[in-house]
Amino acid sequence: MTITRRGVLKAAGAGAALASSGYAIPKALADALNLPAALPDGLRAEAVLDALPGKKPLIKLSYRPPNYETPIALLGSDGITPNDAFFVRYHLSDIPEVDAKTWKLKVGGEGANSTAELDLADLKRMPATEITAVNQCSGNRRGLFAPHVAGVEWGYGAMGCARWRGARLKDVLNKVGLKKEAIEIVLDGADGPIVQKTPDFVKSVPVHKALDENTLIAYEMNGAPLPHFNGFPARIILPGWTGTYWVKHITSINAVTKPFGGFWMKVAYRIPVNKFPTELFTTQTTDVNTPITEMVVNSLITSHVDGAQVKAGSAVMLLGLAWDAGDGIAKVEASSDGGASWKPATLGRDLGRFAFRPFSFTTPPLPAGAHKVSVRAENKKGQKQVTGLILNPAGYHHNVVQTLMLNAA
Ligand SMILES: Nc1nc2c(c(=O)[nH]1)N[C@H]1C(S)=C(S)[C@@H](COP(=O)(O)O)O[C@H]1N2
Ligand SMILES: [Mo]
């Protein structure tokens, strides 16, 4: 089932179901397709809601490979993104349906002392850890970059937060033992290129991050097996770091003693050195650039979209989410007067330092007219969202303070 944005807006306007599919458009989803005005015109007109097997209708940016973002309304405000609403990001189109019975994980590499092969039962027999963590694509909000940069033109929804359960990567690496010269751990999944000109999607992480007690090989998401499109039967969870390292359908893990040279490390997913306050991936750093690592502090209003109608003379309760790389959110502030004055928002439940932190803020009664509303988060290290976009060639780390218009009538 595919619903075009134009169709949705028409149907929602008429309060009707789409005649062709018989699918009644929930108002929240119609609102969600009111994509940010900064997105390229072509994309805004073409964006469609489309349901992958096992998923709710999400915003489809491409089908081969599947790139689907979560509508803002489905991100909700309780800090957990449901599995059927979680965004989907792939680089390659050959995504096998992995059979849990025959799936094997190979562990070794020239930086390891031995090799091992685990099946799913072996992995599940190991001590299990559960951690709630945000998975956000490096390119989340790329579509808001001005001037526009090439890549998947994501809006706000290339992110989600779930309870991930699995074995520690550290315990799996201990089965083979690392040589003291090992510097990176190389992660590869079952998916591959359909045409050989696209390089296979393989990532590496520094040994210290691989050995971090929060780094998992997860087989459960929010208490259920991983959905196929989120990495069944097992994926890497690298709390604090952007989604690119969270390799899905993981099949091989290799320790290496030299910097890993694949395309997805050396060419893609890089940021200029010294532009962002994030950890340096030292073994991969050149004079000019370095792999993206940690997420930057950020927040999003999820209860209202830009241009939402509210009742004149009434207070408006804004709900949303804030997150960072794992220092934890210290405060969220909101303004309903275009940034002239800021007041603290109320922080919601704390699901752990790597999770979405819900917040709420009630505006003063808003007289009839347009109101500029903003929120900004600060983490426990004192890092703040930026007010001006930090340009970088691949359009990463967009954490500009969000402003939206509410129309009180
Ligand atoms: N096997 C595999 N794993 C992958 C990718 C991929 O293309 N193939 N993309 C990565 C990127 S860039 C992101 S942002 C996350 C997205 O996770 P999700 O699809 O579960 O939301 O998966 C990561 N893991
Ligand atoms: Mo990504």
Side-chain angles (χ1 to χ4, degrees), residues 4-284:
T4 66
R5 178 171 180 270
R6 282 199 188 93
V8 166
L9 295 179
K10 229 168 86 196
L18 263 191
S20 57
S21 63
Y23 178 78
I25 315 289
K27 168 129 186 356
L29 285 182
D31 281 350
L33 271 190
N34 187 356
L35 299 170
L39 290 184
D41 284 346
L43 176 81
R44 274 187 292 134
E46 313 284 90
V48 294
L49 276 183
D50 180 57
L52 288 167
K55 293 278 183 183
K56 285 195 167 136
L58 304 178
I59 300 168
K60 175 171 82 173
L61 297 174
S62 67
Y63 181 68
R64 286 172 71 87
N67 283 304
Y68 284 65
E69 80 173 77
T70 306
I72 291 174
L74 290 186
L75 288 170
S77 54
D78 75 349
I80 294 288
T81 315
N83 292 3
D84 61 4
F86 212 93
F87 84 107
V88 174
R89 203 277 183 260
Y90 280 97
H91 298 78
L92 311 166
S93 296
D94 180 14
I95 308 164
E97 293 273 349
V98 179
D99 181 350
K101 288 193 208 72
T102 54
W103 175 82
K104 291 251 165 21
L105 175 60
K106 291 197 165 78
V107 190
E110 43 92 15
N113 293 322
S114 63
T115 62
E117 199 173 75
L118 285 77
D119 62 21
L120 198 54
D122 296 329
L123 196 66
K124 289 184 176 173
R125 265 194 298 274
M126 300 181 63
T129 304
E130 192 164 78
I131 184 160
T132 304
V134 174
N135 169 13
Q136 178 183 221
C137 183
S138 316
N140 194 23
R141 305 188 183 186
R142 176 184 292 123
L144 279 62
F145 269 70
H148 290 301
V149 294
V152 179
E153 300 291 338
W154 299 108
Y156 291 102
M159 61 170 196
C161 178
R163 272 189 301 121
W164 310 96
R165 184 179 176 81
R168 289 200 169 100
L169 177 53
K170 171 178 141 193
D171 293 343
V172 170
L173 289 172
N174 277 342
K175 284 187 183 290
V176 295
L178 295 185
K179 294 184 181 155
K180 65 175 190 322
E181 304 82 41
I183 55 168
E184 293 177 13
I185 305 297
V186 180
L187 309 164
D188 192 8
D191 50 335
I194 277 181
V195 280
Q196 282 311 325
K197 64 177 200 263
T198 328
D200 190 12
F201 186 76
V202 188
K203 299 294 294 190
S204 68
V205 296
V207 162
H208 82 84
K209 190 67 184 168
L211 296 180
D212 190 297
E213 60 170 14
N214 296 306
T215 298
L216 306 183
I217 305 174
Y219 41 78
E220 264 182 40
M221 178 176 176
N222 293 326
L226 294 177
H228 164 66
F229 287 105
N230 301 105
F232 183 85
R235 78 177 302 171
I236 298 296
I237 301 302
L238 210 70
W241 285 35
T242 68
T244 184
Y245 300 99
W246 298 41
V247 176
K248 301 188 276 191
H249 322 285
I250 183 86
T251 50
S252 98
I253 298 179
N254 287 305
V256 293
T257 59
K258 290 179 200 70
F260 176 66
F263 173 86
W264 300 102
M265 293 307 301
K266 290 289 176 201
V267 181
Y269 286 102
R270 287 190 159 252
I271 54 173
V273 176
N274 292 332
K275 269 202 170 183
F276 298 98
T278 46
E279 179 180 342
L280 204 60
F281 191 152
T282 52
T283 54
Q284 290 279 345

